[in-house]
């Protein structure tokens, strides 16, 4: 039960970090030989449990190293000691969770507003740079890095591309190198800003595309209202196959629903099909994990009553 309580604590704090995560990909360690699993006797030996307990303390410390919620480690230790002695908590579990949820909400709103201001400032300054072409009132900008000589990208074509996607702060979203090489893209299934920036490219051309959050992911993803930067190279064009009638009708229905969505979430559901959506939807996954842990706690509570 104690482990589940700490897991819930860690997930709630972790959920705060998801939209604010700014770290680059961690370096991959060199492969090593698999270690032999400890025996049952070794696992339950007092010395091993001491090491496990000490490591558990380190895990708690990592959860306290949060850019939004600056919890006091001394008070956390005091809370553990008071809990062991049976002293009641100063807040109920419900009050604790509601407070963290509100903190997450306010931090998310503040970060979204800050990122939006930075995105607009970036584009305003970038518009005056040499070689920058502005589209859609400056909300989409591109710069040709390498001229192409082949066919031109149109609505009727599916480009095969090499790409690298980041936010303006350098945070990585994905690349064709990570996926194993060039990929084929249906432009009508990508975010609006990407579609605008790629349209008109020639085979062999390389562009750097800058996308305002209104035409990107909006408040969705790892960095709410983050400015997107794509580096694109078109390697091949293929005629786009016609969609079946049922799919076309479904798309029309989705467009009608999206028209009724709040403008703040514009582009949030229209993710580019070549970007790692698992990372972008990490917020939702964290909530699901918390719900699962809550169900486990409820089941344990019912069992203890019996």
């Amino acid at each position: 039960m104690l482990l589940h309580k700490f897991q819930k604590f860690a997930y709630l704090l972790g959920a705060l970090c998801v939209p604010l995560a700014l770290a680059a990909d961690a370096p991959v360690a060199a492969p090593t030989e698999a270690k032999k699993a400890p025996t049952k006797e070794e696992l339950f030996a007092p010395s091993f449990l001491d090491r496990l307990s000490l490591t558990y303390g380190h895990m708690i410390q990592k959860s306290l190293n949060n850019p939004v919620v600056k919890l006091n480690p001394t008070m956390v230790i005091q809370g553990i000691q008071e809990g062991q002695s049976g002293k009641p908590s100063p807040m109920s579990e419900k009050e604790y969770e509601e407070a963290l949820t509100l903190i997450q909400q306010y931090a998310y709103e503040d970060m979204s507003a800050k990122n939006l201001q930075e995105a607009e400032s970036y584009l305003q300054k970038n518009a005056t740079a040499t070689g920058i072409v502005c589209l859609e009132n400056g909300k989409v900008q591109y710069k040709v890095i390498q001229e192409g000589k082949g066919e031109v990208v149109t609505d009727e074509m599916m480009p095969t591309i090499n790409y690298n996607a980041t936010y303006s702060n350098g945070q990585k979203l994905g690349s064709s190198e990570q996926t194993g090489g060039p990929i084929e893209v249906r432009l009508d299934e990508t975010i609006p800003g990407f579609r605008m920036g790629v349209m008109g490219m020639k085979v062999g051309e390389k562009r750097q595309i800058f996308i305002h959050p209104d035409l990107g992911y909006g408040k969705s993803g790892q960095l709410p209202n983050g400015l997107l930067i794509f580096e694109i190279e078109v390697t091949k064009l293929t005629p786009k196959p016609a969609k079946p009638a049922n799919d076309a009708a479904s798309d029309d229905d989705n467009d009608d629903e999206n028209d009724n969505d709040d403008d703040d979430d514009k582009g949030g559901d229209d993710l580019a099909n070549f970007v790692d959506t698992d990372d972008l939807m990490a917020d939702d996954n964290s909530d699901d994990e918390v719900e699962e842990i809550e169900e486990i706690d409820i089941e344990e509570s019912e069992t203890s009553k019996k």
Side-chain angles (χ1 to χ4, degrees), residues 26-184:
V28 179
T32 57
E33 294 183 7
K35 292 183 178 180
K36 184 180 178 181
T39 64
K40 180 179 179 180
E41 289 74 18
E42 291 172 334
L43 286 172
F44 285 93
S47 59
F48 187 86
L49 291 177
D50 284 346
R51 289 175 57 207
L52 195 64
S53 299
L54 191 59
T55 303
Y56 186 60
H58 281 262
M59 296 301 102
I60 294 177
Q61 188 279 328
K62 282 187 177 181
S63 72
L64 298 178
N65 188 22
N66 187 286
V68 177
V69 188
K70 300 297 183 182
L71 296 182
N72 185 338
T74 302
M75 298 306 294
V76 171
I77 294 172
Q78 181 177 328
I80 293 174
Q81 293 171 338
E82 290 181 355
Q84 285 181 321
S85 64
K87 188 174 180 178
S89 171
M91 299 174 68
S92 67
E93 186 174 338
K94 182 180 179 181
E95 290 171 334
Y96 159 82
E97 292 178 0
E98 288 176 347
L100 280 181
T101 299
L102 284 173
I103 289 173
Q104 178 183 8
Q105 178 184 330
Y106 291 138
Y108 185 81
E109 291 172 354
D110 289 346
M111 178 62 77
S112 296
K114 178 176 178 289
N115 289 341
L116 180 59
Q117 184 178 12
E118 290 179 353
E120 292 176 343
S121 297
Y122 186 106
L123 289 173
Q124 185 177 7
K125 181 179 180 181
N126 197 52
T128 63
T130 303
I132 293 293
V133 178
C134 295
L135 307 173
E136 198 67 20
N137 297 321
K139 289 192 173 184
V140 177
Q141 301 173 358
Y142 72 85
K143 179 178 182 178
V144 177
I145 301 173
Q146 174 180 294
E147 297 286 351
K149 298 181 180 179
E151 294 181 89
V152 177
V153 177
T154 66
D155 283 329
E156 290 73 36
M157 307 300 287
M158 292 178 60
T160 298
I161 64 171
N162 286 311
Y163 77 94
N164 184 57
T166 67
Y167 285 111
S168 57
N169 65 4
Q171 183 179 344
K172 297 179 181 179
L173 280 172
S175 69
S176 51
E177 183 179 357
Q178 292 175 338
T179 60
I183 59 168
E184 191 173 61

Side-chain angles (χ1 to χ4, degrees), residues 202-258:
K202 296 179 180 180
V203 173
E205 181 177 342
K206 292 182 181 180
R207 282 185 187 180
Q208 189 175 35
I209 304 171
F210 308 85
I211 304 174
H212 188 283
D214 285 354
L215 298 175
Y217 299 130
K219 290 184 178 179
S220 299
Q222 297 174 358
L223 195 65
N225 279 336
L227 174 73
L228 295 168
I229 300 178
F230 287 91
E231 292 184 2
I232 304 294
E233 177 188 15
V234 177
T235 62
K236 185 175 67 174
L237 290 179
T238 306
K240 183 173 66 177
K243 283 190 176 183
N246 290 342
D247 289 349
S250 176
D251 286 346
D252 291 339
D253 292 340
N254 290 336
D255 288 342
D256 292 339
E257 291 177 4
N258 290 337

